[in-house]
Amino acid sequence: MTQVSDQLVREMVQNVLERVQTGWSGRVSPVTGTAAPAPVTAPGSSVVAPAASRFGQFTDVNEAVAAATNAQRALMRRSLAQRQIACDLIRQICIQQADRLGEMEYEETRLGHRAHKPEKLVLVGQTAPGVEFMKTECFSGDHGITLEEHAPWGVIGVITPVTHSLPTLANNAVNMIAAGNSLVCNPHPSGKRIAAHGAKLFNQALYEKLGIDNLVSVITEPTIESAQEIFRHPDVRLLSITGGPGVVAAAMKSGKRAICAGPGNPPVVVDASADLNNAARCIYEGAVYDNNLLCISEKQVYVVAEVWDAMLAAMEAAGACRLTPQQMDQLGRLCIEPGTDGGHARANRKFVGAEPQVFADLLGITIPAGCRMLFGQTPHEHPFVEAEQMMPVIPFIRCESFEQAVEFAVDSEHGFGHTSVIHSRLVDHMTYMGKAMDTTIFVKNGPSVAGDGSGGEGYGGYSIACSTGEGICTPLTYTRLRRCVMVDNLRII
Ligand code: NAD
């Protein structure tokens, strides 16, 4: 006779109960995690939802948190195999619907480069870390065995930036669900429609396959007040913040544990030993990506005097258009605003993620078709250096020595501890700058994006938690450690 484990019986009973409670009629094997398709009821949808189904769409924070709490409890009764299915469903939607969703994101936010929007979603679909990142630590010795397991927090409050509304939500969702959590997201108001639409697609797919709704819940009319409500809500146990300095400061004051993926201002240093053509190609590739919207993108370049002329010529050969120092000053005055309350200068929102042609028009100049980056000489003290400009206009600063270049680079990074880049063939220089910068990501001889899984080894992500120290977030970031100890037993050697 076949042996049925207690665990299997418990899961089967639980599945039946959940189907009765939710009205869901799909079938999922607790062993394999595979599901039979649910019957079709509505045109264009195979999802059979109970009347109360919301697919993650909420205007009220309390309702969203309550629904996400139920969803998380249901998830915890499922196997890891089913969490994997949930992650795969979100990844598949990102890949299969990248063109349409990318277009919707662009149409709503009007930020960045249209053609890069689908690419970003495909990358999430291909690389967002999921269940495969979950692992258990074990200690085995004279006193028995101890397991350290990564447990979920429950409901996570999520803030996403306008610069990558759906990519951040999707990437966070895969990470968080893999770890056994659900989430309630307050998206940026200017990217709320694409966030809500994406969440709806994810929840519909999750509901159809697993019978769980609202794992990815979104506030459809987000405000600063609704963000604050999430920050204060007693059933939200962890915060995950991706955005600029204001929201990071607000979350840190909430009294809750907050994982903060805050601003960056990545400097690049080019020394005399660098392969200048490779450096120019890499700077161009990294800085122009999505019109420099990425927090990780190259924002200012320090070049030693010895190779200054050759490096600027290499930038032009790579396709960048050179501006005069006067034109850089003119753009600085128009596109960068002074900091308030002693803060750093900041980008004028009107020009964030704008196409190079917009800046050419401001200057009244013609640039060749296909040119994706403008650059020019500035002093180290310049608005384009101080501000995280998020525009394809990159200041280049001539330095008397490598040491001066690194000193300026450290200063321009403002202690964010985010990302820095060096182009050099000298290991001593790499070590010197790596130590001086102390950034979460340090890229050598590649574009900055290589440090985030795009062209370099390792996984990538859309939340790079620098100030709070988690680095590029993975499912393990969204877990808490629990220890299980068997004293004097179960060690088998
Ligand atoms: P933003 O700071 O204007 O907004 C980010 C989010 O915070 C939005 O959802 C916004 O509604 C919310 N918000 C802002 N102030 C708030 C407050 N006081 N209380 C509650 N919520 C508040 O930033 P943005 O323009 O949307 O995104 C760009 C910024 O995000 C850049 O600084 C960029 O470097 C940073 N970013 C960082 C990472 C990372 O991984 N470190 C990734 C993407 C973007």
Side-chain angles (χ1 to χ4, degrees):
M1 205 172 102
T2 313
Q3 293 282 316
V4 180
S5 74
D6 286 353
Q7 173 66 18
L8 185 55
V9 172
R10 265 199 303 277
E11 286 203 21
M12 289 167 74
V13 170
Q14 198 55 55
N15 274 330
V16 172
L17 283 175
E18 273 164 23
R19 267 181 270 159
V20 170
Q21 282 162 6
T22 61
W24 175 68
S25 57
R27 282 177 290 119
V28 173
S29 155
V31 180
T32 63
T34 53
V40 177
T41 56
S45 166
S46 59
V47 179
V48 180
S53 192
R54 303 285 289 264
F55 298 131
Q57 315 291 298
F58 296 91
T59 48
D60 180 81
V61 168
N62 281 323
E63 279 184 32
V65 174
T69 302
N70 286 338
Q72 197 268 337
R73 286 184 186 147
L75 184 67
M76 284 311 289
R77 293 191 289 265
R78 301 305 181 83
S79 61
L80 278 174
Q82 290 181 19
R83 280 194 217 168
Q84 179 74 55
I85 289 173
C87 294
D88 288 345
L89 286 169
I90 296 173
R91 288 164 165 159
Q92 278 160 21
I93 289 169
C94 288
I95 293 171
Q96 288 165 3
Q97 303 198 35
D99 285 344
R100 199 166 61 85
L101 294 173
E103 184 62 19
M104 284 174 72
E105 173 132 4
Y106 182 77
E107 282 302 321
E108 182 178 4
T109 65
R110 289 275 160 186
L111 292 178
H113 188 52
R114 189 187 283 260
H116 291 154
K117 301 297 173 190
E119 269 181 41
K120 286 161 62 175
L121 285 165
V122 170
L123 195 69
V124 170
Q126 290 171 343
T127 64
V131 174
E132 66 282 0
F133 270 66
M134 299 298 291
K135 60 176 186 209
T136 299
E137 315 289 343
C138 180
F139 303 88
S140 172
D142 292 344
H143 298 297
I145 282 190
T146 292
L147 295 180
E148 278 194 341
E149 305 223 65
H150 293 269
W153 284 87
V155 179
I156 302 179
V158 169
I159 300 285
T160 50
V162 67
T163 45
H164 335 283
S165 185
L166 187 55
T168 309
L169 177 63
N171 204 105
N172 283 176
V174 171
N175 291 174
M176 291 170 185
I177 291 171
N181 303 286
S182 63
L183 54 140
V184 173
C185 175
N186 202 65
H188 192 290
S190 303
K192 65 183 179 185
R193 288 200 300 277
I194 181 63
H197 181 72
K200 189 172 198 172
L201 295 179
F202 299 155
N203 284 304
Q204 282 176 334
L206 295 169
Y207 185 78
E208 181 175 9
K209 200 81 170 171
L210 301 175
I212 307 177
D213 192 12
N214 304 317
L215 275 172
V216 186
S217 291
V218 167
I219 305 302
T220 53
E221 293 301 333
T223 58
I224 298 283
E225 290 69 36
S226 58
Q228 290 292 344
E229 266 188 80
I230 292 175
F231 291 176
R232 285 193 303 264
H233 201 292
D235 294 335
V236 173
R237 301 196 51 205
L238 179 70
L239 300 176
S240 173
I241 309 296
T242 308
V247 66
V248 167
M252 297 296 270
K253 280 190 216 133
S254 70
K256 283 206 167 84
R257 169 138 195 254
I259 292 159
C260 294
N265 198 28
V268 182
V269 167
V270 181
D271 79 6
S273 74
D275 174 341
L276 299 184
N277 289 329
N278 181 60
R281 277 194 305 270
C282 292
I283 292 167
Y284 187 85
E285 184 188 330
V288 306
Y289 197 76
D290 211 10
N291 289 342
N292 202 259
L293 273 190
L294 272 63
C295 56
I296 194 176
S297 293
E298 289 84 348
K299 298 284 192 286
Q300 55 274 345
V301 182
Y302 296 95
V303 184
V304 295
E306 235 174 309
V307 292
W308 173 257
D309 291 334
M311 183 62 200
L312 267 51
M315 287 309 305
E316 288 182 292
C321 290
R322 186 168 175 178
L323 304 179
T324 64
Q326 294 72 27
Q327 287 169 327
M328 289 298 285
D329 290 348
Q330 198 181 336
L331 286 184
R333 281 192 296 275
L334 294 169
C335 304
I336 307 292
E337 296 170 347
T340 48
D341 301 333
H344 303 298
R346 47 176 201 213
N348 177 338
R349 288 265 161 188
K350 219 168 112 190
F351 299 106
V352 167
E355 291 290 332
Q357 187 61 49
V358 170
F359 303 97
D361 290 347
L362 283 177
L363 295 171
I365 60 169
T366 310
I367 56 171
C371 166
R372 301 224 46 79
M373 173 181 158
L374 308 177
F375 77 106
Q377 182 172 6
T378 71
H380 171 59
E381 290 78 20
H382 193 274
F384 271 119
V385 174
E386 187 183 336
E388 184 193 18
Q389 73 267 42
M390 294 181 279
M391 300 168 200
V393 181
I394 308 297
F396 276 57
I397 301 98
R398 189 179 200 271
C399 301
E400 290 314 314
S401 65
F402 170 70
E403 287 74 15
Q404 185 187 46
V406 173
E407 188 189 324
F408 284 166
V410 169
D411 184 53
S412 72
E413 216 268 330
H414 305 312
F416 292 144
H418 199 296
T419 297
S420 53
V421 180
I422 188 170
H423 289 277
S424 171
R425 287 189 175 103
L426 299 177
V427 173
D428 285 357
H429 278 189
M430 296 173 187
T431 308
Y432 180 93
M433 181 171 167
K435 286 186 180 181
M437 293 304 308
D438 198 19
T439 46
T440 304
I441 297 174
F442 181 47
V443 179
K444 302 170 218 66
N445 299 329
S448 59
V449 287
D452 194 20
S454 201
E457 288 299 325
Y459 59 90
Y462 270 87
S463 295
I464 305 167
C466 304
S467 55
T468 51
E470 292 81 3
I472 301 176
C473 295
T474 74
L476 293 177
T477 310
Y478 303 109
T479 59
R480 62 202 174 90
L481 271 181
R482 293 183 59 200
R483 186 175 265 219
C484 183
V485 182
M486 168 63 97
V487 179
D488 291 342
N489 221 323
L490 267 188
R491 179 174 157 89
I492 55 165
I493 51 172

